[in-house]
Amino acid sequence: MQETSKHTLDINAIRADFPILQRKINGKPLVYFDNAATSQTPQQVINAIVHYYSDYNANIHRGVHSLSQIATDAYEQAREKIRAHFNAEHVHEIIFTAGTTHAINLVAHGYSQLLNEQDEVIVSAMEHHSNIVPWQMMCEKTGAKLKVIPMTENGELELDTFDQLLNDNTKLVFVNHVSNALGTINPIEEIIEKTHAVGAKVLIDGAQAAPHIKADVQALDIDYYTVSAHKMCGPTGVGVLYGKEELLEALPPYQGGGEMIAEVDFEKTTYAGLPHKFEAGTPNISGGIAFGVALDYMNNIGFDAIADYEMELLVYATNQLNEIGDVRIYGTAVEQKTAVISFNIEGIHSYDIGTLLDKMGVAVRTGHHCAQPIMKFYKIPGTVRASFSFYNTKEEIDTFIEAVKKAKSMLL
């Protein structure tokens, strides 16, 4: 693994955009390495939320008054930004949700009315719980059979076994674009091609990929793609489901209520067209608008520049960590990996390391990372996960490494 960079980022200027990076934790400067759980928010996005509530707070799509029109325009402009970012063909293929979990449940609910006991669905062994449990619930309702693509010791999917699992009864395949626990970038292009060859559809959980990789849903021929704004410098409580128009049209509504109807009568209700069919009730208006601003912010920096710089951080941290004795890194698909390092120190519980690192101002994630099947595969209760973003620095990694060394000396 070698450091490579084709772009130069003004890291000091970028860091100045994030107010929280200036604070201290336990008297130490904050080193925030929990970006895989949620990213930090730049002032530009914070300003967008404040601006909505202080200047044009109103409900959308329903009012003829000026504030409602302004809010509606801003919300729909954000939807168009998201469409352009992921290169969806139609803006109505972008469905606002409460996040990736909501988006996956929306699709699973729809298929629970479309599948039967003859059908099979396939999930990978390295999924987040939000891309496992909804499908298990769907299978319980329909009788469909759930199959699992196994993984290798270095944290990659066994695609030869995937080939054997696919057959004419396969209706859905769901796999994350990037593993939240390991950082592995899965070969979704190959998975999609093989899935389509048997006439099945694919849902890609893009929550962990979207902060690092700009997915082109048309070029990849993706059927469904899900993302969460809070992992992309945006607010919590908002995300997106992309779906091909004809597939979304075929799914039944997920929730009933205002906005998702065409006409309501006690005898029969007819539903609105896309995207409103899946957007019942008052949405997270400020969140949707702010998501658009967050995408603007990241695109202004450039996703190629972000990827190059984060790879530098990943290589630097991995090399430093490997020099500490008794460290095992989980997920070593080094050529196909985002800036995530999951590790343990032999003889020390991950929670103890994380607690001591926090005392030194370093924020990492510990535990099973909502990916218990991965932990069971490695026969461990959890890991320490350090995840980097484009606003992190090598100096912060140095602080992190020294903190790990100190924690190890205190605990062994």
Side-chain angles (χ1 to χ4, degrees):
M1 186 187 281
Q2 297 181 344
E3 297 182 26
T4 59
S5 181
K6 303 172 186 175
H7 305 86
T8 301
L9 300 183
D10 189 341
I11 300 301
N12 290 332
I14 290 172
R15 288 179 62 83
D17 288 334
F18 292 82
I20 201 169
L21 298 182
Q22 314 309 316
R23 72 161 295 172
K24 292 186 176 182
I25 298 294
N26 295 316
K28 306 288 186 181
L30 170 64
V31 174
Y32 185 78
F33 284 172
D34 194 21
N35 294 286
T38 196
S39 64
Q40 293 302 337
T41 313
Q43 190 65 53
Q44 292 87 332
V45 175
I46 297 170
N47 290 345
I49 297 171
V50 173
H51 181 47
Y52 166 76
Y53 282 111
S54 62
D55 198 56
Y56 60 100
N57 179 20
N59 216 325
I60 58 174
H61 299 143
R62 306 172 188 177
V64 296
H65 61 85
S66 296
L67 292 185
S68 180
Q69 292 293 318
I70 295 169
T72 298
D73 288 346
Y75 191 74
E76 292 305 325
Q77 286 167 10
R79 194 192 304 271
E80 168 55 28
K81 290 178 183 178
I82 296 165
R83 182 212 66 77
H85 178 83
F86 293 105
N87 193 33
E89 183 176 0
H90 306 294
V91 72
H92 55 256
E93 294 176 321
I94 301 299
I95 310 298
F96 276 114
T97 68
T100 293
T101 299
H102 178 200
I104 293 171
N105 275 274
L106 187 160
V107 179
H109 171 269
Y111 274 90
S112 69
Q113 301 182 47
L114 300 175
L115 300 185
N116 58 51
E117 63 274 7
Q118 305 301 319
D119 296 323
E120 297 178 358
V121 295
I122 299 175
V123 65
S124 94
M126 62 173 63
E127 299 306 304
H128 189 281
H129 295 164
S130 63
N131 206 25
I132 298 174
V133 179
W135 307 113
Q136 290 176 324
M137 296 168 68
M138 179 195 72
C139 288
E140 289 173 0
K141 292 178 182 178
T142 63
K145 184 178 180 180
L146 182 71
K147 296 182 174 182
V148 181
I149 311 169
M151 57 180 280
T152 65
E153 191 70 21
N154 68 337
E156 296 179 297
L157 294 179
E158 293 184 8
L159 292 186
D160 289 344
T161 304
F162 176 54
D163 292 340
Q164 298 168 18
L165 295 176
L166 285 168
N167 61 69
D168 291 341
N169 292 324
T170 306
K171 294 298 183 287
L172 275 171
V173 173
F174 13 95
V175 61
N176 51 34
H177 194 166
V178 167
S179 166
N180 73 301
L182 305 176
T184 304
I185 302 173
N186 286 316
I188 63 168
E189 188 169 6
E190 182 179 353
I191 290 170
I192 292 167
E193 183 178 351
K194 290 180 175 181
T195 301
H196 286 170
V198 299
K201 305 303 179 187
V202 186
L203 182 142
I204 302 295
D205 173 359
Q208 290 298 326
H212 315 285
I213 301 168
K214 196 169 181 176
D216 185 325
V217 296
Q218 288 193 78
L220 291 166
D221 198 19
I222 295 174
D223 298 312
Y224 304 100
Y225 198 80
T226 67
V227 296
S228 294
H230 73 93
K231 297 183 189 294
M232 303 180 71
C233 298
T236 57
V238 66
V240 156
L241 166 67
Y242 158 79
K244 290 178 179 176
E245 179 183 49
E246 65 274 17
L247 298 180
L248 293 175
E249 292 282 13
L251 290 181
Y254 179 47
Q255 294 175 310
E259 192 66 26
M260 53 75 67
I261 55 88
E263 185 173 347
V264 173
D265 196 285
F266 283 113
E267 283 69 41
K268 182 175 176 60
T269 292
T270 55
Y271 305 126
L274 299 174
H276 307 297
K277 170 183 173 183
F278 295 109
E279 295 181 353
T282 298
N284 183 349
I285 301 169
S286 66
I289 294 167
F291 190 8
V293 175
L295 282 180
D296 287 342
Y297 181 85
M298 295 187 74
N299 278 308
N300 285 338
I301 295 172
F303 275 76
D304 288 342
I306 287 172
D308 284 350
Y309 179 69
E310 289 177 346
M311 179 55 69
E312 279 190 33
L313 296 180
L314 176 63
V315 172
Y316 185 75
T318 301
N319 290 340
Q320 296 267 65
L321 203 56
N322 278 329
E323 292 180 4
I324 302 174
D326 303 318
V327 170
R328 178 178 177 183
I329 294 176
Y330 301 89
T332 53
V334 293
E335 300 304 321
Q336 290 295 321
K337 188 175 177 180
T338 57
V340 171
I341 303 177
S342 264
F343 70 96
N344 279 325
I345 298 176
E346 186 176 348
I348 305 177
H349 197 284
S350 62
Y351 178 84
D352 295 333
I353 299 171
T355 300
L356 286 180
L357 292 185
D358 179 64
K359 299 297 183 184
M360 293 178 263
V362 180
V364 295
R365 179 67 49 147
T366 62
H368 56 64
H369 316 300
C370 294
Q372 286 181 320
I374 291 177
M375 303 305 144
K376 291 176 181 177
F377 174 82
Y378 288 115
K379 298 181 175 59
I380 54 175
T383 68
V384 181
R385 185 184 69 188
S387 50
F388 315 120
S389 186
F390 58 88
Y391 44 71
N392 291 129
T393 67
K394 290 181 179 178
E395 290 74 19
E396 288 182 313
I397 292 173
D398 291 339
T399 300
F400 160 69
I401 293 296
E402 290 306 310
V404 171
K405 290 177 179 177
K406 186 173 182 180
K408 179 185 175 184
S409 67
M410 295 171 67
L411 293 166
L412 284 180

